[in-house]
Amino acid sequence: MVDDRKLAVLRAIVEDYVSTNEPVGSKALADRHNLGVSPATIRNDMAALEEQGYIHQPHTSAGRVPTDKGYRLFVDRLSQVKPLTGAERRAIETFLAGVVDLDEIVTRTVRLLAQLTRQVAVVQYPSLTRSSVRHVEIVPLGERRVMLVLITNTGRVEQRVVDLPDAIGDDRVAHLRAVLNASLDGCGLSSVPDRVADLPERLAAEDRPVAVTLLSVILETLVERHEEKIVFAGAANLAAADFSVGLRDVLEALEEQVVLMRLLGETGDLSELTVRIGSENPYTGLRGTSFVAAGYGAGDKELARLGVLGPTRMDYPVTMGAVRAVARYVGQILAGS
Amino acid sequence: MVDDRKLAVLRAIVEDYVSTNEPVGSKALADRHNLGVSPATIRNDMAALEEQGYIHQPHTSAGRVPTDKGYRLFVDRLSQVKPLTGAERRAIETFLAGVVDLDEIVTRTVRLLAQLTRQVAVVQYPSLTRSSVRHVEIVPLGERRVMLVLITNTGRVEQRVVDLPDAIGDDRVAHLRAVLNASLDGCGLSSVPDRVADLPERLAAEDRPVAVTLLSVILETLVERHEEKIVFAGAANLAAADFSVGLRDVLEALEEQVVLMRLLGETGDLSELTVRIGSENPYTGLRGTSFVAAGYGAGDKELARLGVLGPTRMDYPVTMGAVRAVARYVGQILAGS
DNA sequence: CCTGGCACTCGGTGTTCCCGAGTGCCAAGT
DNA sequence: ACTTGGCACTCGGGAACACCGAGTGCCAGG
C-alpha cells in the first residue's frame, strides 16, 4: 500500500517537473494531484524516495527533481505510451504520402519526427546488410572504367566508380551484367560472399580479371560501407529547450556518426521501444539528454532504427508514442514500395 | 591624410573587436596600435566615423563597435585575404586525398571547412543543370516498372522509380537505353529538352507511350529537382561562438533548404569571393551573421558554391582565405576525377 | 500511520551604492 | 588647422545587503 502511494508521488513529481521545469514541492503536489493525503505525508514519502535515489533536491530549501533513476522507474513502470491524436496521425500520412525515393523517405521522416516531437530526430538509413539485392548494373564510363550500381529491395542505391585491369567492350559488359544478376538477384546481402565465391571459375578466362575486380568492389561496398548513414534534423529545437548548458556538446555528438551509431545502438525486437536516460547514454556529452529509439523495417525484418533526442525532462509517454507511430508508418511505406 | 587615418582607426577597431569581442575605446586603441596620435585625436575620428555610420556605441559610456557598414568597408578596402598556413594546406590535402565518390567529396569538404574556420560550413552539390549527361541507365524492376538512373559528368547520380503504361521486355529496354544514350550522351543538361523533343516520333509506335513516360520523368528530374541539395556541418561551433542570441533562428535557417539556397545566392565569377554581412543577408534570422561564399567547379565552369556562416564579428581575412582555398582544392579534385 | 503546526534554511529578487571606463568638449600648444 | 591634455559627466555593471517566501524536517497529537 505504502509503496503504491510512493510510486504515485514519484509519477506526480515527474509529470509536474516535465511540464513546469521547476523543482516541485510537497504543497504543489497535494494541490495539483488529488493524492488524498496531506503535504506532510507527501514530504515523508519524498524523503524516502530521495533516500532510494529516485529524486533529488537541488538545494536545501527547494522542491524535488527526478533523478535518472527516477525517470527510469517512471518509464518502466509508471507510464504508458500515449497514442497519437487523430490530427497527428493525419499529419504523418500526408507528410509521407506518395513518396518513393528512399532518400526522400528518410529526409521527410526525420523532419516529420523532429516537428512532431519538437526535439531532435535521428534516422538511420535502412541497413544494407539486412536487405537483399534487387539489381546490379554495370555502366560503361570509358574504355577501362565502369560505374557499378547496386540496387537493393529497400530502394537504396550504392554506386562506385571502378577502374578495370582490362579494356572491356559493351557485349562483355552485358554478359557480365547478366551473369551477376543471375547469381545475385534476390540474394540477401549477407549471403553475397558465399554466392559469388566460385563465380570467376565459371566464366571464360578472358572475363576473369575484370570479374574479380568487380566482385572485390561489390564485397567492399557491402563490408566497408557497412557503417550506415545517419541523418538528423530539428537541431533548432535544442536551442528552444532551455537546457542551453551542454548544448555545444550535444551538437558535437550529433555531428559524429560514431556517436550516433552507438546511440541507436544494438537492435532490439522490431518496433520495440528503447529508452536511454541521461547517464545511461554512451557518450558523456549526452548526459542531460534522453534518447527514445525504435526499429523500423519492411515486413517483419528490422532494417534500421530511428529515434528522438531530447532533454532528460522530456514527456516520455508522448515522445514514445510519436516514435513508435512514425516507425510503423515508415515500415508500411517501405513494405509497400 | 586625415581620411587615411580614420580608415586606419576603423581597421584597428574592427581587428580589436573581432579578437576581444568587447567594445573598443580610444585609449585601448592608442595603446595597442601605434597610430602615432593621442586618444583624444582618435576620439575625434571616432566621432566622425560614427557620424558616417561605420561604428556604433552600445551605450553612452562604452567603446565603439563596428556596424555592418563598417565591416563592409573593412572587407572591401581595408583588408586582404590571408593565405592559409602550410599546415592548413597540408590538412586540406590529406583530408581530401584519394576520394572519388561525389557524396564523400561533399561530406568531407563540408567538415573540413567547418573545422578549418571553426564556424558553420555550407556546401552545395554540384549543379545538375550546369553539368552534362554521361549515361542514362534503365533498370527493369518488374513487368511495368523500371528504375531510371541518370549519371552526370560530375559523378552525380539521380535515380527515380518509374511506373510504365505498358509492360516492357528486356529487349525493348535495351533498345530504349541505346536510343536514349545515343541522343543524350555528353549533352549539357540544359539542352536536354531540345534534344529529346522529337524523339518519340523517331521510334516505333509500340515504344512511344513508354518513351514519353520516361522522357517526362527525365525532364521532371532536371526541372523540378533543379533545387540543389545543400549540406552543412559545424553547428557545434555556433554554440561556442558566444552569440547565443538568435542561435535558434540560425539553426532554423540552416535546416531550411530554401534559405540556404538564397544564401548561396546568385553565381558570381568562378572563385570570386562573395561576402554577405549581417543585414545584407536575405533572411531576418541571419542578422548578426555573415556569410562568405565562393564558387567551385571543375575546369573553368562553376558548378556550385560553398561557404561559411559565422558571427558578424568574424575574422574576415582568415575566413575568406580558407573558403577560397577549399573551393580551389575541391575544383581540382572534381576536375581530376 | 497520517496530519497540522512550527521553526528554520536558503536561493532568488530587488535596491542601493559605488567604481571606472569611456566620452565630449574646451582651451592651449605646435 | 590639427592635435593634445585636462576635466566634468554619464552610465552600465558588479558588490553588498536585506527581504521574502517556498519548501523542508521534525514533533506531538489524533
Side-chain angles (χ1 to χ4, degrees):
Chain A
M1 301 304 108
V2 70
D3 241 17
D4 269 5
R5 197 188 54 214
K6 275 191 207 135
L7 292 181
V9 169
L10 177 57
R11 175 200 278 122
I13 290 175
V14 171
E15 285 171 356
D16 273 25
Y17 183 63
V18 164
S19 71
T20 66
N21 193 22
E22 271 169 19
V24 10
S26 53
K27 181 140 181 297
L29 270 195
D31 289 351
R32 305 185 28 149
H33 306 258
N34 37 4
L35 296 167
V37 288
S38 77
T41 309
I42 294 179
R43 280 205 287 281
N44 289 332
D45 291 347
M46 286 165 98
L49 286 170
E50 182 157 22
E51 176 72 21
Q52 298 166 65
Y54 293 116
I55 56 180
H56 163 250
Q57 219 174 2
H59 6 267
T60 315
S61 111
R64 304 306 216 286
V65 166
T67 60
D68 290 352
K69 188 176 169 192
Y71 284 120
R72 167 55 58 197
L73 184 61
F74 175 81
V75 168
D76 288 347
R77 300 189 37 203
L78 302 176
S79 67
Q80 46 191 18
V81 177
K82 193 177 163 195
L84 297 189
T85 66
E88 286 168 329
R89 298 194 163 277
R90 261 170 278 129
I92 295 184
E93 279 166 16
T94 48
F95 218 87
L96 295 183
V99 187
V100 190
D101 182 42
L102 181 67
D103 266 340
E104 203 166 343
I105 292 179
V106 171
T107 308
R108 289 212 194 180
T109 300
V110 73
R111 292 197 184 182
L112 168 69
L113 197 51
Q115 202 174 311
L116 216 51
T117 60
R118 302 189 167 278
Q119 290 170 357
V120 181
V122 179
V123 177
Q124 181 180 29
Y125 271 67
S127 165
L128 268 183
T129 46
R130 265 167 264 149
S131 46
S132 57
V133 177
R134 185 177 261 172
H135 191 88
V136 179
E137 188 57 46
I138 306 174
V139 180
L141 295 183
E143 279 261 312
R144 309 171 56 145
R145 201 173 222 197
V146 299
M147 174 172 281
L148 192 63
V149 182
L150 197 65
I151 304 171
T152 74
N153 66 338
T154 48
R156 184 159 171 172
V157 176
E158 289 285 318
Q159 16 130 350
R160 288 282 289 267
V161 174
V162 185
D163 287 314
L164 300 176
D166 298 336
I168 184 171
D170 281 355
D171 48 341
R172 287 172 64 202
V173 166
H175 179 230
L176 279 172
R177 182 192 293 136
V179 171
L180 277 176
N181 276 299
S183 313
L184 297 179
D185 197 22
C187 165
L189 289 204
S190 49
S191 51
V192 165
D194 294 339
R195 288 269 197 120
V196 300
D198 62 340
L199 212 155
E201 300 164 20
R202 302 196 329 248
L203 290 172
E206 54 167 8
D207 282 336
R208 279 185 204 157
V210 170
V212 167
T213 306
L214 290 179
L215 286 177
S216 76
V217 171
I218 291 180
L219 294 177
E220 229 174 72
T221 306
L222 298 183
V223 177
E224 290 190 2
R225 296 251 186 131
H226 173 227
E227 355 131 4
E228 309 295 349
K229 204 168 149 193
I230 302 178
V231 296
F232 69 88
N237 294 327
L238 279 181
D242 44 51
F243 78 123
S244 42
V245 179
L247 198 158
R248 153 135 227 209
D249 291 321
V250 177
L251 283 172
E252 264 171 9
L254 284 173
E255 292 194 342
E256 281 299 332
Q257 295 284 317
V258 190
V259 175
L260 290 184
M261 284 292 302
R262 292 180 59 197
L263 197 59
L264 283 163
E266 319 77 43
T267 297
D269 287 342
L270 180 58
S271 84
E272 189 69 27
L273 285 167
T274 310
V275 181
R276 291 244 168 89
I277 297 167
S279 50
E280 298 170 11
N281 277 314
Y283 179 72
T284 51
L286 297 180
R287 278 170 224 277
T289 66
S290 288
F291 189 69
V292 176
Y296 71 90
D300 51 357
K301 266 187 313 200
E302 172 167 326
L303 292 174
R305 318 199 84 215
L306 53 75
V308 160
L309 185 77
T312 314
R313 47 166 285 278
M314 69 167 71
D315 187 333
Y316 291 93
V318 168
T319 306
M320 291 167 78
V323 169
R324 192 176 65 185
V326 170
R328 286 182 182 163
Y329 271 89
V330 175
Q332 282 176 26
I333 292 193
L334 283 181
S337 76
Chain B
M1 301 302 110
V2 70
D3 240 18
D4 269 5
R5 195 187 56 214
K6 275 191 206 136
L7 293 180
V9 169
L10 177 57
R11 175 200 277 123
I13 291 175
V14 171
E15 286 171 357
D16 273 26
Y17 183 63
V18 163
S19 70
T20 66
N21 193 22
E22 271 170 18
V24 9
S26 53
K27 182 142 181 293
L29 269 195
D31 289 350
R32 305 186 27 149
H33 306 257
N34 37 4
L35 297 166
V37 289
S38 77
T41 309
I42 294 180
R43 281 205 287 281
N44 289 332
D45 291 349
M46 285 164 96
L49 286 170
E50 182 156 21
E51 177 71 20
Q52 299 167 63
Y54 293 116
I55 56 181
H56 164 250
Q57 221 173 0
H59 16 264
T60 316
S61 112
R64 304 306 215 289
V65 165
T67 60
D68 289 351
K69 188 176 170 193
Y71 285 119
R72 166 55 59 199
L73 185 59
F74 175 81
V75 168
D76 287 347
R77 300 189 38 203
L78 301 177
S79 67
Q80 47 190 19
V81 177
K82 192 177 164 196
L84 297 190
T85 66
E88 286 168 329
R89 297 195 165 277
R90 262 171 278 130
I92 296 184
E93 279 167 16
T94 49
F95 218 88
L96 295 182
V99 187
V100 189
D101 182 41
L102 181 68
D103 266 339
E104 204 167 341
I105 291 179
V106 171
T107 308
R108 289 213 195 179
T109 300
V110 73
R111 292 196 184 182
L112 169 70
L113 198 52
Q115 202 173 311
L116 216 51
T117 59
R118 302 190 165 279
Q119 291 172 354
V120 180
V122 180
V123 177
Q124 181 180 30
Y125 271 67
S127 165
L128 268 183
T129 45
R130 265 167 262 148
S131 45
S132 57
V133 176
R134 186 178 262 174
H135 191 88
V136 178
E137 187 57 47
I138 306 173
V139 179
L141 295 182
E143 280 260 313
R144 308 172 56 144
R145 201 174 221 195
V146 298
M147 173 172 283
L148 193 63
V149 182
L150 198 65
I151 304 171
T152 74
N153 67 339
T154 48
R156 184 160 173 171
V157 177
E158 289 286 317
Q159 16 131 350
R160 288 283 289 268
V161 174
V162 185
D163 287 313
L164 300 176
D166 297 336
I168 183 170
D170 281 354
D171 48 342
R172 286 172 64 202
V173 166
H175 179 230
L176 277 173
R177 181 192 294 136
V179 171
L180 277 177
N181 276 299
S183 312
L184 296 181
D185 197 22
C187 164
L189 290 203
S190 50
S191 50
V192 166
D194 293 339
R195 288 266 197 122
V196 300
D198 62 341
L199 213 155
E201 300 164 19
R202 304 198 323 253
L203 291 171
E206 54 169 7
D207 283 335
R208 278 184 204 157
V210 170
V212 167
T213 306
L214 290 179
L215 285 177
S216 77
V217 171
I218 290 179
L219 294 178
E220 229 175 73
T221 305
L222 298 183
V223 177
E224 291 192 3
R225 296 248 187 135
H226 174 227
E227 356 130 6
E228 310 296 348
K229 204 169 151 193
I230 301 178
V231 296
F232 69 88
N237 295 326
L238 278 181
D242 44 52
F243 77 123
S244 42
V245 178
L247 198 157
R248 153 134 229 211
D249 291 322
V250 177
L251 283 172
E252 264 171 9
L254 284 173
E255 292 193 341
E256 282 298 333
Q257 295 283 318
V258 190
V259 174
L260 290 184
M261 284 292 301
R262 291 181 58 197
L263 196 59
L264 283 164
E266 319 77 41
T267 296
D269 286 342
L270 180 57
S271 84
E272 190 70 27
L273 285 166
T274 310
V275 181
R276 290 245 170 89
I277 295 168
S279 51
E280 298 170 13
N281 278 314
Y283 179 73
T284 51
L286 296 181
R287 277 170 226 275
T289 67
S290 288
F291 190 69
V292 176
Y296 70 90
D300 51 355
K301 265 187 313 201
E302 172 166 326
L303 292 174
R305 316 199 86 212
L306 53 76
V308 160
L309 185 77
T312 314
R313 47 167 283 280
M314 69 167 71
D315 186 333
Y316 291 93
V318 168
T319 306
M320 291 167 79
V323 169
R324 192 177 63 185
V326 170
R328 286 183 183 163
Y329 272 89
V330 175
Q332 282 175 26
I333 292 194
L334 282 181
S337 77

